[in-house]
Amino acid sequence: MSLVVIYIFMILAILAALFALECRRLMFSIIGLIAMNLFLWVLLLSLNAVFLAWIQLIVYGGGFTALFVVVVALTEKQRDESFDWKRSVIALVIVGALMGVSIWAVTASGLSVTIGTSTIGDSLRALWNERLTDLILQAVVFFATTVGVGSLFIHHKKKKEEAKA
Amino acid sequence: MIEQLHLLILGIVLFGVGLYALLGKRNIIKILMGIEIMTIAINLVFISLGANSTNELFTKFAQIFPLISIAIGAAVLAVGLAIAINNYRHANSVDTDEMATLKR
């Protein structure tokens, strides 16, 4: 793939992320998020990180998107009307300063080496060698997800009693 | 071949975009989207740094840590969205400023 095309995909990924955050309609925001994931998928494929590219597309582009769609549909507030100028300007200043310092630090350290990534075989071998860590992490993830989903079914007894009274 | 520097800058910019959502937005769904974008940016930086062929161990783990990060990101998103729905049932709003009602 031509270098120019990859750089175009990089810019498109940033624009899609900005669109996802600034669009007022939440459903369109989700579409922006899908677009960003697709552009990054191409980028990861071009970096030879095939395994991660597909996992990211399946999990972020598929699973997370479905979750977002369900939540937007459940909350019934499909337009984000809240826009706080003061907060946004402060956030932009902080983010701008942080980004400026980070980019300066990265460029000053001379990290401009040409690259190529690990193969799928390497990744699978490393996963197998570290299977205990993987299992523990998966247990933590399952626990957190169970707590999150379980919290949806908590009955608010006090509120119900108040409503009855 | 893409230069590592440009990928790192892309990661920083994407992280900045996510951070902007975290600091500047009040809608919890947008904030969670920002967190997701930040996670993706970190994964991208990991991949670009992992390509450093001088450190073999890091190269091998370059694709493994983002995988773990994706799994943890899924848990974070599930919990965050569950909190969002719960708060909506309570306060009929997805605004983070009204999230104080969650403790009652």
Side-chain angles (χ1 to χ4, degrees):
Chain A
M1 197 184 292
S2 165
L3 257 184
V4 181
V5 179
I6 293 172
Y7 284 121
I8 288 172
F9 272 108
M10 281 181 174
I11 294 163
L12 283 175
I14 295 169
L15 290 179
L18 280 172
F19 174 77
L21 294 179
E22 286 305 329
C23 186
R24 287 289 168 93
R25 291 200 62 168
L26 289 174
M27 281 295 178
F28 288 159
S29 293
I30 296 168
I31 291 170
L33 216 58
I34 298 171
M36 188 196 74
N37 280 314
L38 279 174
F39 296 137
L40 285 177
W41 171 69
V42 174
L43 206 62
L44 287 176
L45 281 183
S46 71
L47 283 171
N48 202 20
V50 186
F51 189 51
L52 187 71
W54 282 106
I55 294 281
Q56 177 152 338
L57 189 69
I58 291 166
V59 177
Y60 280 84
F64 286 11
T65 308
L67 264 178
F68 271 118
V69 168
V70 168
V71 170
V72 170
L74 276 179
T75 50
E76 290 168 10
K77 291 266 166 95
Q78 307 211 351
R79 284 184 76 88
D80 173 24
E81 301 293 354
S82 57
F83 189 79
D84 196 340
W85 278 104
K86 198 177 163 188
R87 191 184 281 217
S88 295
V89 169
I90 293 171
L92 270 179
V93 170
I94 294 172
V95 169
L98 281 175
M99 272 171 59
V101 171
S102 309
I103 291 174
W104 171 78
V106 166
T107 44
S109 61
L111 282 169
S112 54
V113 189
T114 49
I115 54 172
T117 43
S118 57
T119 61
I120 296 175
D122 283 341
S123 308
L124 293 177
R125 222 170 294 128
L127 256 185
W128 179 246
N129 290 339
E130 296 299 321
R131 54 190 180 275
L132 184 65
T133 320
D134 192 37
L135 275 175
I136 292 168
L137 275 166
Q138 279 189 39
V140 172
V141 168
F142 273 119
F143 176 72
T145 316
T146 314
V147 170
V149 175
S151 72
L152 281 175
F153 299 104
I154 293 172
H155 289 288
H156 303 288
K157 285 180 185 171
K158 276 187 184 175
K159 213 179 177 184
K160 279 184 180 173
E161 283 165 10
E162 279 172 14
K164 278 181 186 174
Chain B
M1 199 70 94
I2 314 169
E3 282 208 15
Q4 194 174 30
L5 178 69
H6 297 158
L7 282 167
L8 290 178
I9 290 174
L10 175 69
I12 290 169
V13 172
L14 276 180
F15 191 87
V17 171
L19 193 65
Y20 164 70
L22 207 63
L23 296 174
K25 296 288 172 190
R26 277 174 21 199
N27 190 320
I28 191 166
I29 297 173
K30 288 273 175 79
I31 290 175
L32 287 170
M33 280 181 185
I35 292 173
E36 191 185 327
I37 292 171
M38 284 164 81
T39 316
I40 292 172
I42 296 296
N43 291 348
L44 194 71
V45 169
F46 239 106
I47 284 293
S48 60
L49 285 178
N52 189 355
S53 57
T54 52
N55 190 342
E56 203 176 314
L57 188 70
F58 197 77
T59 310
K60 279 181 182 171
F61 279 85
Q63 288 192 60
I64 301 304
F65 279 117
L67 276 182
I68 295 166
S69 149
I70 286 172
I72 293 171
V76 168
L77 197 70
V79 174
L81 291 177
I83 290 172
I85 293 177
N86 235 342
N87 185 59
Y88 182 76
R89 285 180 183 169
H90 258 287
N92 207 24
S93 166
V94 282
D95 198 322
T96 44
D97 287 354
E98 294 173 28
M99 279 227 148
T101 53
L102 203 64
K103 65 189 173 193
R104 276 179 238 142

